[in-house]
C-alpha cells in the first residue's frame, strides 16, 4: 500500500463521501473495505475516525449491494465540477 500523498488524500476523500461505495475505491485503488478502514484509522484523528465509522457502518450508499437497483454510478453527476 504505497500511495502518493495525493492518492492517499483522494482515498480518504472518497471514503468520507457518503455516496461513494467502497467498491468504487476498490476498483480504482485495489483496496478492500478493511484496507480503507486501516488507512482511515491511521490518517484521521481518533475522534474523527470514530465519527466516520459510526456514519458509514451499515450505510446503504457505501455498499453497492445495499443500494437500490437503479443506482449504478459511484458518485453524484454534479460531484465533479467541469471547467
Amino acid at each position: 500500500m504505497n500511495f502518493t500523498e495525493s492518492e492517499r488524500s483522494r482515498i480518504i476523500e472518497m471514503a468520507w463521501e457518503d455516496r461513494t461505495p467502497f467498491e468504487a475505491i476498490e476498483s480504482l485503488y485495489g483496496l478492500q473495505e478493511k484496507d480503507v478502514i486501516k488507512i482511515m484509522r491511521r490518517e484521521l484523528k481518533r475522534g474523527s475516525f470514530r465519527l466516520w465509522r459510526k456514519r458509514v457502518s451499515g450505510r446503504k450508499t457505501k455498499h453497492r449491494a445495499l443500494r437500490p437497483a437503479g443506482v449504478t454510478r459511484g458518485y453524484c453527476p454534479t460531484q465533479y465540477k467541469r471547467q
Side-chain angles (χ1 to χ4, degrees), residues 19-33:
R19 297 196 180 275
T20 303
F22 287 111
E23 292 87 354
I25 298 170
E26 184 173 9
S27 70
L28 288 173
Y29 295 100
L31 296 170
Q32 294 179 352
E33 181 179 351

Side-chain angles (χ1 to χ4, degrees), residues 42-81:
R42 186 178 64 235
E43 299 290 332
L44 299 179
K45 294 178 182 177
R46 181 180 292 166
S48 296
F49 174 76
R50 276 197 304 251
L51 288 172
W52 174 75
R53 281 300 292 151
K54 184 176 179 181
R55 200 175 88 241
V56 300
S57 294
R59 182 176 284 269
K60 290 181 181 180
T61 56
K62 290 303 284 184
H63 299 88
R64 191 170 283 150
L66 299 177
R67 288 179 160 211
V71 179
T72 57
R73 65 193 183 282
Y75 57 89
C76 173
T78 59
Q79 180 175 354
Y80 299 105
K81 301 189 179 22

